[in-house]
């Protein structure tokens, strides 16, 4: 029987709506510059999976800087050599942490694809709307990749710490709830929400 690939972007969207309703309560929407309230956050945090989904959301937001660094240059969105280097590195580091290298590589492969999904959409948006094009070009080597490397280290630790939670049958819906909180607290828009849905399929052990 083919396993379900959960959660999808629509599942995450539903979780975001639930998280929003729970977090806002009678207090109304958060204003700019204020931190999202999350009185019921312990529901997701109790399962530990927000430690994973928060990092996935942060990595997706960095895709904007990656895209800004590449747009209008000869640097392609797809970089098979670097992607292979990343996957080789996380396999080695996963083994050192006592994790299954191939399973961890699958999670990071999804992160790479989610990141490229956002980059492609931003390229298309900037082509269609020149006024929205970035006015600054971040330095990939000095600014963006070190930030991605820090998230990689954090994500490997989070995957180790949540290994048990990611193997139980209820991981799918719990992951969707955690992703909903992360999408809400990081204020993800529709594009990044779609990216988050693409980033999630391999997190739960039962989805592979």
């Amino acid at each position: 029987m083919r396993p379900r690939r959960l959660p999808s972007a629509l599942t995450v969207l539903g979780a975001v709506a639930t998280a929003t309703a729970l977090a806002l309560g009678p207090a109304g929407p958060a204003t700019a510059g204020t931190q999202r309230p999350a009185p019921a956050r312990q529901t997701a945090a109790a399962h530990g999976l927000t430690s994973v989904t928060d990092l996935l959301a942060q990595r997706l937001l960095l895709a904007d800087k990656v895209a800004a660094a590449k747009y209008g240059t000869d640097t392609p969105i797809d970089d098979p050599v670097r992607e292979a280097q990343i996957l080789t590195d996380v396999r080695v580091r996963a083994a050192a942490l006592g994790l299954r290298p191939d399973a961890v590589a699958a999670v990071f492969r999804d992160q790479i694809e989610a990141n490229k999904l956002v980059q492609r959409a931003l390229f298309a948006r900037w082509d269609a709307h020149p006024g929205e094009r970035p006015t600054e070009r971040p330095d990939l080597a000095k600014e963006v990749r070190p930030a991605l490397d820090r998230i990689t280290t954090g994500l490997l630790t989070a995957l180790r710490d949540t290994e048990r939670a990611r193997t139980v049958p209820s991981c799918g819906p719990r992951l969707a709830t955690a992703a909903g909180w992360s999408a809400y607290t990081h204020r993800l828009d529709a594009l990044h929400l779609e990216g988050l849905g693409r980033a999630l399929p391999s997190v739960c052990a039962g989805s592979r």
Side-chain angles (χ1 to χ4, degrees), residues 63-64 67 71 117-127 191-192:
D64 295 46
Y71 188 74
L117 182 156
V118 173
Q119 290 182 57
R120 291 189 185 102
L122 289 174
F123 272 36
R125 180 187 301 172
W126 296 336
D127 284 344
L191 171 58
H192 294 82

Side-chain angles (χ1 to χ4, degrees), residues 5 59-60 63 77-80 83-84 86-87 105-121 191 194-202:
R5 292 178 64 80
R59 198 178 195 282
L60 275 173
I77 291 176
D78 290 279
D79 188 349
E83 292 169 18
I86 292 171
L87 296 178
V107 173
F108 277 89
R109 187 178 296 109
D110 283 342
Q111 308 321 302
I112 291 170
E113 293 304 319
N115 195 286
K116 292 192 293 186
L117 182 156
V118 173
Q119 290 182 57
R120 291 189 185 102
L191 171 58
E194 182 183 359
L196 185 58
R198 179 62 187 87
L200 294 170
S202 296

Side-chain angles (χ1 to χ4, degrees), residues 59-157:
R59 198 178 195 282
L60 275 173
L61 291 172
L62 277 175
D64 295 46
K65 288 191 173 183
V66 176
K70 293 180 177 180
Y71 188 74
T73 74
D74 293 332
T75 304
I77 291 176
D78 290 279
D79 188 349
V81 174
R82 176 161 174 80
E83 292 169 18
Q85 291 172 343
I86 292 171
L87 296 178
T88 297
D89 176 63
V90 297
R91 279 190 173 95
V92 172
R93 295 170 68 180
L97 291 172
L99 297 169
R100 291 181 295 155
D102 287 345
V104 171
V107 173
F108 277 89
R109 187 178 296 109
D110 283 342
Q111 308 321 302
I112 291 170
E113 293 304 319
N115 195 286
K116 292 192 293 186
L117 182 156
V118 173
Q119 290 182 57
R120 291 189 185 102
L122 289 174
F123 272 36
R125 180 187 301 172
W126 296 336
D127 284 344
H129 304 284
E132 297 182 14
R133 293 174 182 174
T135 57
E136 297 182 357
R137 193 182 306 282
D139 190 311
L140 267 179
K142 295 181 179 179
E143 179 182 356
V144 182
R145 285 176 178 165
L148 288 171
D149 290 343
R150 287 191 293 271
I151 291 175
T152 293
T153 297
L155 184 53
L156 284 165
T157 299

